[in-house]
Amino acid sequence: MSLSPPRDEASIAVRDRVYIDAKRAAIWGLSVNIVLVVAKMTGGLVLRSSALIADAVNSIGDVTSSVAVRAALHVAEQEEDDDHPYGHTKAESIAGFGVSLLVMFGAGILAIETIRQFSVVQAIPHWSAGVIAAVCSVIKEALFRYTSHVATRLGSAALRATALDHRSDALGSGAIAISLFAAPYLGAFGPYVDPVAALCVCGVLMMTSAKMFLAIAAELMDQQADAATVAKVRDIAADVDQVKEIEKLRVRKSGLEYFIEIHVQVDGQLSVDQGHRIGHEVKNRLLANMPRVRDVHLHIEPWMGE
């Protein structure tokens, strides 16, 4: 049985649209990453480019994280139940948290393996390896821009983490392309350009994953929502007739949605029934005007001012 508060059809439609857009972005990321894994791994093995192979392994991690994000979004949109009275919205944040750890771990393993290659004489990969890396860089940059736009519009931690991963991949593949094109002209240093580029990719990945980790950890710790969202909640509540003051306001982001805890002050001489009606009006307006608010916990306080 659903425990969700009542909503109008427009509010439900907006909330459903949020999850549809988020899942579409995750599917696009998954599809593109599968293609890139095949292209990079094939090119890396045939052309003997350790940098391309390192990039391909990273893309395998991207495929895994895309699957996890897509699954988490499916869980997050499920309604409340007896075991989860606050819903399943944090599944989306948990997925983003997992993506950041996966990227960090994968980058560390790749760095260790790449360092070992310096003890072996390396051959300079064919210039076509650079072409593959350059094409992958352009594709990843386009995917970053699309995913980042959706993540910003929806406020999705998981998609934001995924977008940052796409950007780091784009930069890494671009660096690999440049180094592979330049390698034949660098003399004795040429054979080492490829593994050095692979190490640079690992460094970028680790820094990006660390930023993801910190941002999503703050959300999982129920950090206050952004100032614009809090201000909007306050304005909507304060605009209700007979609301005197907003005594306390807490807005926490949970995945793609929000939970609100608000204390509203009304005239202390009003009856319990009148105060109750005012409280319901505040809650109904918040749910109607902010479709991504999952629920509102409201408390009525007496206003003793003049």
Side-chain angles (χ1 to χ4, degrees), residues 16 36 42 70 89 105 116 160 246 270 282 304:
D16 289 345
L36 293 182
T42 302
R70 175 62 182 81
T89 51
F105 177 77
R116 290 176 179 173
R160 191 177 299 113
I246 306 300
L270 294 177
V282 172
M304 299 303 180

Side-chain angles (χ1 to χ4, degrees), residues 19-229:
Y19 281 99
I20 290 172
D21 291 347
K23 288 187 285 187
R24 179 181 292 122
I27 289 296
W28 268 107
L30 173 61
S31 303
V32 171
N33 280 325
I34 290 174
V35 174
L36 293 182
V37 166
V38 175
K40 291 176 184 178
M41 187 61 74
T42 302
L45 292 173
V46 172
L47 303 173
R48 298 188 178 185
S49 169
S50 57
L52 268 185
I53 293 174
D55 217 10
V57 174
N58 174 50
S59 291
I60 292 175
D62 293 344
V63 170
T64 303
S65 63
S66 295
V67 171
V69 170
R70 175 62 182 81
L73 288 168
H74 175 72
V75 174
E77 70 176 328
Q78 301 304 308
E79 297 292 348
E80 298 87 341
D81 54 39
D82 292 336
D83 292 328
H84 303 87
Y86 293 98
H88 305 76
T89 51
K90 284 196 174 180
E92 191 264 353
S93 300
I94 293 171
F97 197 75
V99 170
S100 68
L101 291 177
L102 179 64
V103 172
M104 190 180 300
F105 177 77
I109 295 298
L110 287 175
I112 293 172
E113 291 301 317
T114 302
I115 290 172
R116 290 176 179 173
Q117 295 179 20
F118 282 96
S119 61
V120 181
V121 177
Q122 302 288 324
I124 299 177
H126 191 267
W127 61 268
S128 56
V131 174
I132 294 174
V135 172
C136 290
S137 177
V138 172
I139 293 174
K140 272 292 192 174
E141 179 64 21
L143 191 57
F144 159 76
R145 292 177 181 273
Y146 165 67
T147 307
S148 181
H149 173 73
V150 176
T152 300
R153 179 165 58 84
L154 303 182
S156 170
L159 288 181
R160 191 177 299 113
T162 302
L164 287 173
D165 194 17
H166 293 329
R167 166 51 68 83
S168 69
D169 291 348
L171 294 175
S173 295
I176 290 171
I178 293 172
S179 64
L180 291 176
F181 286 139
Y185 308 99
L186 297 178
F189 184 66
Y192 298 99
V193 170
D194 188 50
V196 167
L199 280 178
C200 291
V201 172
C202 293
V204 171
L205 289 173
M206 293 192 78
M207 288 189 294
T208 302
S209 59
K211 291 180 180 179
M212 294 182 205
F213 181 89
L214 294 174
I216 299 172
E219 184 173 309
L220 287 172
M221 293 176 67
D222 292 332
Q223 185 180 44
Q224 179 82 317
D226 62 278
T229 299

